[in-house]
Amino acid sequence: MDALHHVAPAQAGATELDEDPARAGQRKSLLRLLTCGSVDDGKSTLLGRLLYDSKMVLDDQLEALEADSRKSGTQGDRLDFALLVDGLSAEREQGITIDVAYRFFATERRKFIVADTPGHEQYTRNMVTGASTADLAIILVDARKGVLTQTRRHSHLVHLLGIRHVVLAVSKMDLVDFSEDRFEAIVADYRAFATEIGIAEFTAIPIAALSGDNIASLSAATPWYRGASLLEHLETVPLAAARSDGGAFQMPVQWVNRPNSGFRGYSGRIVGGTVRPGDDIVILPSGLTSRVERIVTFDGDLDRAVNGQSVTLTLADEVDCSRGEVIASAAAAPEVADVLAANLVWMSDEPLAPGRSYWLKIGAVTVSATIGAVDHIVDVETGRPAAARLLALNDIGHCELSLDRPVAAIPYARSRELGAFILIDKLSHATAAAGMIDALPRRAALGRETGESDRIVWLTGVAREDRAGIAATAQRKLQAMGRMSFILDEEAIRGDLNSDLTAGPPDSTEHARRVRAVAALMSRAGLHVLVAADVPAAEAWPGRALTPADLEQEGGAEWVI
Amino acid sequence: MNAPATFRSRGLTHLEQLEAESIHIMREVLAEAERPVMLYSIGKDSAVMLHLARKAFFPAPPPFPLLHVDTTWKFRDMYALRERAAREAGMELIVHRNPEAERLGINPFDHGSLHTDLWKTQGLRQALDQHGFDAAFGGARRDEDKSRAKERIFSFRSAHHRWDPKNQRPELWSLYNARKSRGETMRVFPLSNWTELDVWQYIHAEDIPIVPLYLAAARPTVERDGMILMVDDDRFRLREGEVPAWRSVRFRTLGCYPLTGAVESRASTLPEIIQEMLLATTSERQNRAIDHDGAASMERKKQEGYF
Ligand SMILES: Nc1nc2c(ncn2[C@@H]2O[C@H](COP(=O)(O)OP(=O)(O)O)[C@@H](O)[C@H]2O)c(=O)[nH]1
């Protein structure tokens, strides 16, 4: 079937002895990094310099740079490297949202993808976006200014996003005469602060980006500095090959591949560990078990696949497994949870209203999530918690989320892939927040194990004037079967519990949340709950939501049992 | 991209990681979109994208069609590869030519930027609307141009195909938000994080078929406005005094032949091309006439719905 595809010799023979220079270049590793600095710390200059020193700047671009440097540069006759990456100012003026720009450069040993987060407005949102994929962060500190509030802010976010490698680049060293004392004082200052917030290790490098000192090679101006140049450090910093959860195998299923009745494969990208044919696996959240039969790829079956690879697995048994489920090593499976405690970084102009429900995407699954009360928000400058009820754009808050069904999850500190999620606004479809799980609390209410939610029926989807009649009929039937029930309507709830709320948003989500809480408590007490209050369809859970179509069906009134 | 175990123990290479990321993106789109399509322009980026799609869905053929928005002015070698590549991938090939442009005889000699607008921008919209595609894969890369550096992998368009720069979503981790309202569409760029060099190295490593025009050969050319143009067929209008001359040239990007500049080169094999790239001194877009009409032009074209 694939006459176009020939197995290239590189696949079979890409050994260290391969002489072909074109192929040698194929064996680079990949490092994703983030640069953080306040305006004027020299971030653009440093980036431009890295591109220039790794020979990524071509003649035509260099010509343009020379012309631009003369016209609008700040460096007189010298090249203004900042102009190489400064493609974003015009857009900022036009009010275009820019979160992150990505730059690429490569050396003999590594390819680098740099997330460059411009500007100070929207800083948290931008930086979190860039940091979410980075393995390393360069935190720039101006040698004249030392550690500033912004430095603390950047460091907190770097730590929150779980970036393990931190470089403290003390910049503009030329302006402090390459003073060792000055450098050491800044490093000591930063170390005290870093330890306090939990950054255990960092690498400090004195640099001057404009003149290139300690960027691509060590500078004669800092004979006292014993470490590596910035580029050498970036090239050699060890990359954790398997960074997820101690090497246990996990793969969210993105797609079930069924080209014909004879083949059924589960496609996904491995997010932790290694897998081999014959391995025992469990499918989560269902808990079904099986064994890996084959690891199928276009290049032939593999005898093992590792973290980061996109593969297709076949299983030894015919088990149910669909998009969104996680195939994991049976020996060390992640937990399954329907309550998540998490840090949320709010990214939407519309603030978070507690009690409102959002789509939550984790791995390859999207579920409905309701956000409970915000415990506290984190002040990114001091790192200290503060009280708050709402989360607004760029706030970071801690809260609990209840999901409408369980998902496989791992705290973020142990897995970036199964510990991170996004929240999606159900109406606008905007990405409203980034979330990082910090714990999986036991479910307190709304338990599904005992079938409590089966006793809740939402009549909210049928016309308001019909609800009372339907509810009364249902109550009679239940009574005839010896079951106790309660009609939870507006009158029952507004009278007292919701008397402080007004009609319409944002109170309507709070209203729905309270209705849900009351229904859950009643059902836990053994009552059947017939919810006839005014609640939007998206909020009508857990339990069964009745539609007008249900009533029209044959034996429509039987729905209640 | 299966390497021996010894080599694997050092972790995936950059090409293996790029490959895995692109495959992940394609599978997300297939799972979340209603009717995806892959834009296939027959160039090297499209060749890589098609190859990745074959890998992503193997042993099934990629479960969506290829769409070529044709201008009738591509190089002859490109048309030859188009049919073959679609057939061998087992995919349906949809070729769309804007009937209005065809009727008006729009061509790159007489109509300047109208040529691109009508054939490509309008043509693409027509094709997407006509077939009801809600997600289109494109082969654009972030390294192509300064203005693309900030481009999202999933790029949303209004019901009228407008790109609203104020309304793009942050992309966190590898969690793509592909939700959209009725009528909205998305463009998805699985090669966002690839560079030109990555593309060539991958083509070499995977032995991916490409249009021979990328390799140097003696071709009939004329020099015009600082560009070397190839006289690919007899529709080429020679100016006063122009005489086609044989030059050893190759192309770094391919588009409509009267608008695509060649570079003089003797690199006739992939390793030679990669070697030349490593020593290259100009960026690939320099040889495209379309990009010369002003700094903000790419941005404007994108807002209008051109890729
Ligand atoms: N003396 C000196 N000036 C620098 C250095 N790096 C950057 N600058 C200057 O600091 C200013 C701000 O730099 P820029 O890179 O635009 O900062 P950004 O706002 O952080 O991107 C510019 O005038 C730069 O020329 C350096 O190493 N030494």
Side-chain angles (χ1 to χ4, degrees), chain A residues 38-45 74-75 82 172 174-175 208-210:
Chain A
S38 322
V39 177
D40 277 350
D41 279 352
K43 184 159 60 75
S44 311
T45 307
T74 57
Q75 300 305 316
K172 305 193 190 177
D174 54 317
L175 298 180
L210 215 46

